[in-house]
Amino acid sequence: MPLASPDSVAPVRPRVLTVPFGASFLDALAAGLLDGGLIRGVALRGDPAALAATTIFLPTRRGGAALADAIIEHLGGAALLPRILPLGEAEDEDDIGADADAAAGAAPETRAFPSFPVEVPSRASAAWARPIPERDRILVLARLVRHWAAKVGEAIVPREAGEALLIPGSPADAIALAAELARLIDSFATENVPWSRLAGLVPEDLDRSWQLITEFLQIAARWWPDYLAAAGLADRAALRNARLEAYAARLAAQPPAAPVIVAGSTGSNPATATLMAAVARLPLGAVVLPGIDRGDLDAAAWEAAAEDDAPAWTHPQHGLARTLAHLGIDRGDVGLLWTAPDWATPRRRLVAEALRPAATTEAWADHGLAGEEAAAALSGVTAAATASEHEEALTAAVLLRETLAEPGRRAALVTPDRGLARRVAAELARWGLAVEDSAGLRLSETPAGVLARLIADAAAAELAAPAILPLLKHPDATLGRKPRSVARASEVIEIAALRGPPPKTGADGLRAALAEGRRRAGEDRHAHPALRRIRTWE
């Protein structure tokens, strides 16, 4: 069906929906988009052109790929897909618009530029700011950190015997601190917190170490913004926020004739919340929040969770409550995009009561679950007490395997423990089950990354035998020889260099240990047979 003109549909209130706990978020989003439950009066199942013109913002690219699969599944085959953009990477998307680029990257204001300890690129005359590559940002911040350390180094005196204040003493220390500063800069930009809030944070009567910390933070508060302004550059987080805000302003000024949807975000980023507010008020716009509480918590508990103080910050509904306030609606105004299964209702109530704000826990006496309702909430839930990490991983792996043994069933392991996830994957691999790890794999954990780490460890240990052996046992460390030859060499080194007094470090120490092993093999007929195979590797 043709899309309605934006002028012909008068938005009454912001269009905000939610998918409840227990329902598949992406399936609900795809079904609502195609069957008309998402956009007022617009069903896109029979209109491929309108579906292709639709814009959907999701938190991540992975979520976008999963939504595309869900839409294809609901349509029963190939389809023209909507434009699915990741909110977290919006600075890389041309779809945000050229006018958003101009608004986000207006030429920086003229400001007094201090004597700077690093060279400023010759791009200061750029028409608008451009994102600084992450590698360049870390290196520049590291140079600023070292410059700061050199300035305050003479002020660092021992506080007690053997104890001194920590300042970066090497390039590696400076890079590590630069990476932490980069994360802090992104946090300030994401939360839209001005650096001026640091002023007066530490009273002058506190220990000197606290004063040094505030001086150190001036790298991010003053030096770094000055560097970016002079170079015509911008942090990606700040540029993303500016582009989202500019795009939101454009939507409000010129409502598009095609649907625009923001789904899956909690609106914790102020710039994202601004975009959500603009989209929710579009004639063909909608915002879909994940799992917002629509009444399981009583009014007093909801107000406590929404308060802007430290206890409320930890409540899972706090961010959503802030987003609703930013959108100018109450939770009663949030519509239901999908109905949860029957089992989810008592379990959702149980979770809501268990996470009730501490200030209102006296209400457990009146609102707590008991009897049949509590039993229904815990139906199908199993608790397992294990004696070790290995047993824990094995238990999870067995449960996953039993689920996958039944055709058509799916299973997932949700855990913040990366070690547990790796152990479970290893246990499943023993049974020939390859699982997808949504957290990805660090470069240092890939076969090539492990080999690089082993080479670095061996070099750092000056070719000490304990560092050489793991390197030789890596399947890719063939050293130009046949794998069997390398395996025999590692066995010889292990017996000659590790059984007995430790040899000296370096290649000379390793050669001496092998020579001693050959001598023992020639003098002692009971010596290990591997010592008789010692050969000199050129």
Side-chain angles (χ1 to χ4, degrees), residues 140-458:
V140 172
L141 284 172
R143 294 187 65 182
L144 294 178
V145 168
R146 299 205 72 186
H147 175 76
W148 171 84
K151 288 180 59 178
V152 303
E154 62 274 9
I156 304 301
V157 296
R159 305 179 62 191
E160 296 179 4
E163 182 182 2
L165 294 176
L166 177 64
I167 60 171
S170 68
D173 293 337
I175 288 176
L177 279 176
E180 294 296 330
L181 268 182
R183 281 190 281 271
L184 181 65
I185 290 169
D186 288 343
S187 296
F188 269 64
T190 298
E191 296 296 331
N192 198 23
V193 177
W195 288 102
S196 58
R197 295 280 295 274
L198 291 176
L201 186 64
V202 178
E204 295 182 359
D205 56 348
L206 288 184
D207 188 86
R208 169 64 175 158
S209 61
W210 290 99
Q211 303 297 333
L212 286 174
I213 291 174
T214 58
E215 292 174 14
F216 174 76
L217 292 179
Q218 290 303 310
I219 297 174
R222 182 172 63 88
W223 289 3
W224 183 244
D226 284 344
Y227 173 86
L228 293 177
L233 298 171
D235 286 307
R236 288 186 176 272
L239 192 57
R240 176 198 62 212
N241 291 347
R243 286 181 170 181
L244 287 176
E245 291 171 355
Y247 184 63
R250 188 179 72 178
L251 289 177
Q254 301 175 348
V260 180
I261 300 156
V262 178
S265 174
T266 61
S268 57
N269 182 339
T272 302
T274 298
L275 175 63
M276 293 167 69
V279 169
R281 288 172 170 80
L282 292 176
L284 297 177
V287 170
V288 185
L289 299 175
I292 196 167
D293 188 295
R294 300 177 69 247
D296 294 310
L297 280 177
D298 55 71
W302 176 260
E303 292 175 2
E307 289 180 359
D308 193 12
D309 58 11
W313 295 341
T314 61
H315 196 278
Q317 293 288 325
H318 174 72
L320 291 168
R322 287 180 55 189
T323 299
L324 290 186
H326 189 87
L327 296 176
I329 62 175
D330 299 321
R331 60 174 175 163
D333 299 322
V334 178
L336 193 62
L337 182 60
W338 196 263
T339 302
D342 294 338
W343 62 263
T345 301
R347 190 169 300 175
R348 188 177 63 243
R349 281 205 59 216
L350 176 64
V351 172
E353 290 296 331
L355 299 179
R356 173 182 286 274
T360 65
T361 51
E362 74 279 357
W364 277 338
D366 299 323
H367 300 285
L369 277 72
E372 294 182 359
E373 190 176 16
L378 294 175
S379 177
V381 176
T382 301
T386 57
S388 65
E389 293 180 344
H390 170 72
E391 188 175 323
E392 178 186 22
L394 183 59
T395 301
V398 168
L399 292 173
L400 291 171
R401 183 184 182 186
E402 288 180 350
T403 303
L404 294 177
E406 300 182 31
R409 295 195 65 188
R410 298 180 180 180
L413 173 66
V414 182
T415 174
D417 187 343
R418 298 297 309 136
L420 174 62
R422 287 192 293 268
R423 287 189 293 271
V424 172
E427 293 291 345
L428 291 171
R430 292 171 51 201
W431 299 320
L433 296 175
V435 295
E436 180 183 5
D437 190 344
S438 61
L441 188 65
R442 293 182 179 179
L443 178 61
S444 60
E445 297 172 355
T446 62
V450 171
L451 178 61
R453 284 196 294 111
L454 292 175
I455 293 173
D457 290 343

Side-chain angles (χ1 to χ4, degrees), residues 36 51 60 68 102 129 193 221 231 318 325 452 477 505:
L51 179 61
T60 63
V193 177
H318 174 72
T505 58

Side-chain angles (χ1 to χ4, degrees), residues 1-11 39-44 47 50 254-260 281-285:
M1 58 175 286
L3 293 180
S5 169
D7 297 331
S8 64
V9 182
I39 303 297
R40 294 185 183 96
V42 177
L44 302 179
D47 194 340
Q254 301 175 348
V260 180
R281 288 172 170 80
L282 292 176
L284 297 177

